[in-house]
Amino acid sequence: MPLAFFSSDIVGDKPILVRDFVRSALYDPNLGYFSKSSGPVGVLERSIRFNQLEGRRAYMQYLDKLYKKTDISWFTPVELFKPWYAYAIAEAIMRTANLSIPLKIYEIGGGSGTCAKCILDYMMLNAPPKVYNNMTYISVEISPSLAQKQLETVGEVESHLSRFRVECRDATDKSGWGDEDTQPCWVIMLEVLDNLPHDLVYSPSQVTPWMEVWLEKVDNSLRVSEVYKPLQDPLIAQCVKIIDMDKDHSGGSRKLVSAARSIWSKIFPKPRKAWLPTGCLQLLEVLHRAIPNMSLIASDFSYLPDVHIAGDRAPLVSTKRDGKTFDHRNYLDAKGDSDIFFPTDFWLLERIDHSCSGWLNEQKQPGKFKPARKRRTIILDTAAFMEEFGLPVKTRTKDGYNPLLDDFKNTKFYLSVPTHNIK
């Protein structure tokens, strides 16, 4: 196993933004968490037969044996509940897509390829023959080792390979997408948003302006410290504007409360920190420009328990050694050997999505911007999504316990479709 970074190895001689630190710790080609040859993503040799398990205790014992046997960091839901999890996503696409034109699906960060294979399986078995025969499935994967694994997984069914390809690149790099493609398509992102780089902003009190956080070495040592600067990075400033972080939302009689709060903050200042999903903003900007008629389906954690790091939307930073997981109290402890994952604020995701499509600007100031593609957005918790599009009976144990419905209450699905693409 490669040695971990020192934080100062990531920062280097010049200060960097927090998002660049997160990106290096996760995706550096040599020592990044997702770039190691073994990979942190678990793959099940066969599907779990839930109907043969007695209940929750038996399921947890089964999982414990799997983790000890493989010594990997985590199994994704699409892996634990294959093929049923991906089948539900395929069914959602089938019900919504205009199948009179060739179906084109992009998956960002396809992991081991399980989602791609299962969706292709579903289309082959359940869609009209012309849908499967004419469809294209493109995985955009930043990790070379995972890209190779995806080809192996999908290649288990030979006919899938003529409909599937992997593009090993960074999805947030607009140059990789080429010219604008206005054809309708689908984009799938499963547990991707939580690993996208975030920025950190800081304010010394409740009413002082937000400042962006930079990282720099301390006197050529191995230590790194935070430096606070006025907002100047365009991506951070844009994210702050979309969230309306600097806007005083109080009005009427509430202005008196706001004034009292201002006085109180001067007497008892309380520092604030907030994590901004600038990586998500960057990705959605690129996607809306490259494939403006895309429909998006994303799933991720809406809440993370036991977070020790300060700030709104703060991440979990977790390292696994010798079969045991350790959660860090400082994000700077992530040095290539740690996962960094953030909760997804789905209200904020919707605002970013609609802002990048241009629709949010048009709603705020009608007539000032060119007409934008109106989007229909639905946010469902995992249980509701599976009950609508999936087969919940397939992940139920003998006593009625269903881990997919019962244990994933902190995850949600996000569906965003241009209204003119809805059949």
Side-chain angles (χ1 to χ4, degrees), residues 9 28 31 56 78 135 144-145 183 247 277 286 291 316 318 376 387:
D9 291 334
D28 180 271
L31 290 176
R56 189 176 194 278
V78 77
M135 73 178 291
S145 60
Q183 289 299 308
K247 187 175 180 180
V286 168
I291 41 178
L316 273 176
S318 182
R376 180 186 178 191
E387 287 168 350

Side-chain angles (χ1 to χ4, degrees), residues 266-285:
K266 294 177 181 178
I267 302 172
F268 299 104
K270 183 179 179 181
R272 300 178 294 165
K273 284 188 174 182
W275 293 83
L276 303 181
T278 45
C280 173
L281 172 58
Q282 189 176 23
L283 175 58
L284 288 178
E285 276 193 328

